Amino acid sequence: MKLNNKLNYNKNQNMKNIFDFSIKDATGNLVKLSDYNKNNPILIVNVATYWGLTERNYSELQSLYQKYKNKGFIVLGFPCNQFGNQERDSNKEIQYFLKKKGITFPVFGKIDVNGQDQDPLYKYLKSQKKDFLFGGDIKWNFTKFLCYQGVPIKRYGPQTNPLSFEDDIKNKISGMTNKNN
């Protein structure tokens, strides 16, 4: 199934960071990633509603977002149905699920993260941070990319609990604070 949520960008332009991309939110409105503060750490995650680790991942991602959002940290979720039909709901149904669960970080419209129809943002992320075992491809839902100043600096696999890399986020927030002093 072809998804109609491709990022808008100039195909002739060399994409240098995530702020060169725009993407559609869950209601179809175009959002420029450059609208987010370029000096703040951003965690980009492909998410799913129906997986055994969904509850833990969403809970820990929300916890990190809540704890550090006032310091500039943001989580951006991208629903993907390429792994075991685990995100089969519509964008509207996904947003309802998130509201019921108390998830407040931005979750965009559904995208593909691998293959011919992969979203250009994910093509860029994977080209910058490859997986040790799987190369560039995303292994499963809840693969996470920590970006700083628009550049992916770390990649975490689906089995990696978000709270386990909280220090990486704190270090970037701390580095950001020290630069402002």
Side-chain angles (χ1 to χ4, degrees):
M1 168 173 78
K2 221 175 198 185
L3 298 173
N4 190 15
N5 194 39
K6 293 293 181 198
L7 295 172
N8 289 344
Y9 69 101
N10 180 346
K11 291 184 181 189
N12 297 322
Q13 181 181 0
N14 184 17
M15 308 320 268
K16 296 180 182 165
N17 61 59
I18 65 170
F19 301 119
D20 292 331
F21 297 92
S22 297
I23 192 161
K24 290 181 181 177
D25 67 14
T27 60
N29 296 313
L30 198 60
V31 176
K32 295 178 182 177
L33 294 185
S34 62
D35 289 345
Y36 293 101
N37 189 319
K38 294 180 178 165
N39 291 315
N40 293 343
I42 297 175
L43 188 66
I44 296 176
V45 186
N46 64 304
V47 296
T49 303
Y50 301 102
W51 187 38
L53 299 177
T54 294
E55 186 71 33
R56 182 187 72 206
N57 271 281
Y58 266 125
S59 174
E60 291 188 13
L61 290 167
Q62 179 63 31
S63 176
L64 289 169
Y65 176 65
Q66 200 63 41
K67 188 172 184 179
Y68 297 109
K69 72 179 181 179
N70 290 336
K71 295 181 179 182
F73 173 67
I74 190 142
V75 176
L76 302 178
F78 294 90
C80 177
N81 193 38
Q82 289 187 288
F83 308 102
N85 200 30
Q86 294 177 348
E87 191 58 277
R88 54 192 170 268
D89 291 344
S90 69
N91 286 330
K92 186 176 181 179
E93 292 167 319
I94 293 166
Q95 293 301 311
Y96 178 75
F97 167 82
L98 297 171
K99 186 175 181 179
K100 271 187 4 187
K101 294 290 185 183
I103 304 303
T104 60
F105 58 83
V107 176
F108 291 79
K110 285 168 71 168
I111 63 169
D112 282 350
V113 298
N114 290 327
Q116 181 179 347
D117 294 326
Q118 72 182 313
D119 195 280
L121 173 63
Y122 269 81
K123 184 175 184 177
Y124 167 75
L125 291 169
K126 296 184 312 181
S127 75
Q128 300 301 302
K129 287 291 170 196
K130 298 190 183 325
D131 181 89
F132 178 70
L133 294 175
F134 296 94
D137 278 346
I138 301 296
K139 177 181 171 185
W140 208 261
N141 290 307
F142 292 98
T143 296
K144 306 149 197 84
F145 291 89
L146 181 60
C147 301
Y148 186 64
Q149 297 179 336
V151 177
I153 57 169
K154 296 244 179 163
R155 178 174 173 164
Y156 310 95
Q159 300 286 340
T160 304
N161 299 342
L163 291 178
S164 72
F165 55 85
E166 182 175 4
D167 283 345
D168 294 342
I169 295 165
K170 285 194 306 192
N171 288 339
K172 289 303 164 195
I173 290 171
S174 174
M176 180 182 73
T177 304
N178 290 338
K179 286 181 181 178
N180 293 335
N181 290 335

